[in-house]
Amino acid sequence: MNVMAPPGSRNSVESRLIEEGVLQGQKNITVLDGGFATQLGCHVEEPIDGDVLWSARFLATNPQAVIDTHLDFLRAGSDVIMTNTYQASVPAFMEYLKLSEEESFNLIKSAVQLARTACDRFLEEYPDSTRPKPKIAGSVGPYGASLHDASEYTGSYAKTTPVEVMREWHRPRIQALVEGGVDILALETIPCRVEAEMLIELIKEYPQVKAWLTFSCRQDGKSIAYGENFQDTVRRCYDLNPQQLVAVGINCLAPRVIEPLITGLNKNRVNKPVPLIVYPNSGETYKVDLGWIDREKCEPLDSYIQNWLNLGVSWVGGCCRTYAADISRIRNEVTKWQQKQANIDKNEQVIPNGDRT
């Protein structure tokens, strides 16, 4: 007969996950923030969604609301907050805010200072907190976000936009964030491999800076937005610059689609697993004429967290239509998962090979 495993020992599923290169070194989980524009809506009355600059406009018009939004996420349990710069660029600020090139560059830099102010105020509020000092990630959205046609979710511009054009559009915004003093860059919602690979090469100009890279993906559970295979793209991108990339993964996708994308990604990479990052949206759908719809059809994001952590995710948070309250629930799920792993390690026992009947 088979001998039952001792209480707290690894079960067959966990043993398989270890063999596939997950559940190793994953007890240090980093909790990100949520949808900045979504939470910002709690502090401002002006419309945000649909504006050509979205939340980035408020860097100029209401910086206090930007600080307050960052504080909401820090109080909710975020280890990392992202600058309000996803939609920010020098050309856009020059066109829509009527700023000079220098003023536009400095406005992007100011986003880092606003986030730093929020971090400082949080530490003043909780001087005895046992949490690590919060970090600031510089949000770098895709070139498609500047086109105002939702092409960051299709990657269609990759057909017609030379990579050199994308590079020169990205360079000053990354430069501003680096000069502003971010702790890390968040290269996010990238829909196509060509832009991802260009960004990976571009950040080599700033060798002291770390970054994560996340893709927008299709609903098919296997492809990034432009159609390339997700897992192949992730592995290739990570291998191009493992010295600077702290994680690669997905953002702004419905939570129910995440698991098939990441399952088995690190199989046969036990010695070089890709650190995984996931911060999906709520699962709602945005319609230009209706706004966000179908919230009643969404499952709570936090109900997925422990499965994702079991699959090797080590950076987790939320994107569009996730609030500070959602981050609190994510933090709770992360804590429960970490406690479970600690108990397994504490009670783990090894059965001698001959101790079977």
Side-chain angles (χ1 to χ4, degrees), residues 60-301:
T61 63
N62 197 339
Q64 184 58 52
V66 173
I67 294 171
D68 292 339
T69 301
H70 286 313
L71 269 169
D72 290 343
F73 288 123
L74 291 167
R75 291 164 179 156
S78 296
D79 298 310
V80 178
I81 55 172
M82 286 178 255
T83 57
N84 180 30
T85 52
Y86 174 87
Q87 201 87 2
S89 70
V90 170
F93 284 165
M94 292 176 68
E95 180 175 358
Y96 298 111
L97 295 179
K98 307 305 179 185
L99 301 178
S100 68
E101 183 175 359
E102 182 179 5
E103 289 170 335
S104 299
F105 184 88
N106 288 334
L107 186 58
I108 296 175
K109 284 180 66 174
S110 76
V112 185
Q113 184 54 52
L114 296 178
R116 187 75 62 197
T117 297
C119 290
D120 291 343
R121 291 185 185 176
F122 172 75
L123 293 172
E124 290 173 3
E125 289 180 7
Y126 301 94
D128 299 324
S129 174
T130 58
R131 285 167 47 191
K133 182 180 178 181
K135 296 186 181 301
I136 297 171
S139 174
V140 180
Y143 178 81
S146 71
L147 304 177
H148 317 303
D149 59 0
S151 57
E152 65 260 53
Y153 299 107
T154 66
S156 58
Y157 58 90
K159 298 177 185 178
T160 56
T161 306
V163 68
E164 293 80 9
V165 171
M166 288 188 267
R167 182 185 297 111
E168 293 312 305
W169 181 80
H170 276 294
R171 179 175 276 114
R173 59 209 299 255
I174 290 176
Q175 178 72 35
L177 291 168
V178 172
E179 286 187 16
V182 294
D183 298 300
I184 191 169
L185 291 170
L187 313 174
E188 54 178 348
T189 332
I190 307 302
C192 50
R193 182 181 291 186
V194 64
E195 186 171 16
E197 292 182 355
M198 176 273 294
L199 286 167
I200 290 168
E201 290 301 313
L202 181 56
I203 64 173
K204 290 180 180 179
E205 297 178 11
Y206 312 94
Q208 78 283 8
V209 175
K210 303 294 185 181
W212 74 65
L213 170 67
T214 52
F215 292 93
S216 60
C217 296
R218 294 182 176 181
Q219 300 286 325
D220 62 6
K222 61 182 180 181
S223 309
I224 65 173
Y226 194 52
E228 298 101 327
N229 180 271
F230 171 76
Q231 294 198 0
D232 289 346
T233 300
V234 166
R235 287 188 286 258
R236 173 176 170 79
C237 286
Y238 181 69
D239 289 342
L240 286 173
N241 195 349
Q243 294 79 19
Q244 288 181 271
L245 289 176
V246 299
V248 186
I250 310 153
N251 77 295
C252 213
L253 186 69
R256 64 181 179 277
V257 191
I258 299 295
E259 191 165 329
L261 285 164
I262 62 175
T263 298
L265 191 150
N266 276 316
K267 188 175 183 179
N268 301 322
R269 290 182 65 100
V270 174
N271 296 323
K272 195 180 180 182
V274 179
L276 296 177
I277 179 169
V278 166
Y279 51 109
N281 57 38
S282 66
E284 294 171 67
T285 303
Y286 183 76
K287 300 288 186 182
V288 174
D289 54 339
L290 299 174
W292 292 97
I293 61 173
D294 296 335
R295 188 170 182 84
E296 70 281 358
K297 299 179 182 178
C298 301
E299 295 181 76
L301 191 158

